[in-house]
Amino acid sequence: MLKPDTWALTILLACLTALGPLSTDMYLPALPAILRDLDTVHASVQLTLSVFLVGFAVGQVFYGPLADRLGRKPVLMTGLAIYAGACLACTLAPTVEVLIGARFFQAFGAAGPVVLARAIVRDLYEGPRAGQELARMGSIMGLAPAVAPFFGGLIASAGGWRLVFLVSLAFAAAVLVAIWRRLPETISARETAPFSARALVSAFAGLLRHRAFAAHLAIVTLTYSGLFAFISGSSFVLQDIFGLSPAGFGIAFGICALAYVAGTLAGQRLAPRRGAEATILIGCLLMGAAGAAMIVAVLVAPSMLAVVLPMMLYMAGVGLAMPQAQAAALMPFPGRAGTASSLMGICQMSVAAIVGIAVGMTHGGTALPLALIIAANGLGAAFVFLATGRARAAGV
């Protein structure tokens, strides 16, 4: 069985959190091919991204609270099984409507591993060590968006977009076997209250009344929404507007993802020395500056570099801020880590889904709408951090 403070456990948890990025990033280069093959429109193809976030948000309503009661491992394996079945449905989808529905259930399944990976970290680690573990997972997970679009482009070019979903199925199956064989149960004390809608709403409301949790939750949500704006819009902007090939897009996207990895690595070194809050501040300021720089760049000299270079700065800020903000949000709730992680994911994905729809609706012949949405989220995260200093310092 895997033990805490080992790289083997960290890698397995990182694979769980990578399911979400893999499910979006690997098929991004294939979006134009899906558009042509299923004879549909941009808005429908964009919906395959946005509905993923809706399914992800819906799934997170259940996984955390159930895992607080039933244990991490059985709920985790159930989520992986749902994800694998939905990958098969995506592979066989004859129409874009079927693909959209299958993507919803793919996301519903993927929500469990992502929620419970954070809860397992909270089960096993305390304080700065939890933030360090999430940053380590982020460093490994960051390799997924770094390489996924590139290999997704190669897979789609070699075998079509359906093969991309088969590869996701194989990855999920391998992780499921590893969980079954190697992961011990990590929860120490299970929630005894019965699971009900009223109890769930009451638990979520109690978490939101915790001002430090709400502040860190807002930072995580805005940070991820800016990231998802780039995920959902970059394929069309960089390929349709600036003429990159699928492989070229994969390289550009991978460079941005490596900037995220660099941010997480910097966060691992900075947080123990300067503290988690100082690390979050630096990340938020980087994201705000990156968003503003992208607006100026696409107005003055619109090009692929005008989008990619500022996005690298934004991604570095995400790597600094998000793992530390996630850990800080979960720390006050050792007995409700699953429920707190679920609420975090619900808010994160719900807002990102709205952002993804906005990106699709404003798609046109310019990169300016994408830059404006990314900037709004980056500057918003910086504003929330600066405006909630007392609440976060009080820790209540």
Side-chain angles (χ1 to χ4, degrees), residues 51-65 104-105 107-109 111-112 115 200 204 342 345-347 349-350:
V51 79
F52 186 90
L53 294 189
V54 175
F56 210 93
V58 172
Q60 291 183 87
V61 172
F62 303 100
Y63 286 109
F104 176 88
F105 286 102
F108 188 91
V115 166
L200 187 60
F204 284 165
S342 278
I346 292 165
C347 296
M349 296 301 165
S350 298

Side-chain angles (χ1 to χ4, degrees), residues 29-38 156 161:
L31 290 181
I34 294 173
L35 181 73
R36 294 188 299 269
D37 188 40
L38 298 182
W161 61 268

Side-chain angles (χ1 to χ4, degrees), residues 205-233:
L207 291 169
L208 290 174
R209 285 194 294 269
H210 193 284
R211 292 184 297 166
F213 173 83
H216 288 115
L217 173 64
I219 292 168
V220 170
T221 299
L222 289 165
T223 297
Y224 183 79
S225 294
L227 168 60
F228 188 76
F230 179 71
I231 290 172
S232 63

Side-chain angles (χ1 to χ4, degrees), residues 1 5 28 41 102 126 155 176 228 236 259 269 272 277 283 385:
M1 288 293 177
D5 294 308
L28 288 178
V41 295
E126 292 285 342
I155 293 168
L176 178 58
F228 188 76
F236 294 110
R269 298 178 64 86
E277 295 300 316
F385 184 92

Side-chain angles (χ1 to χ4, degrees), residues 289-301:
M294 189 182 296
I295 293 175
V296 174
V298 299
L299 285 173
V300 174

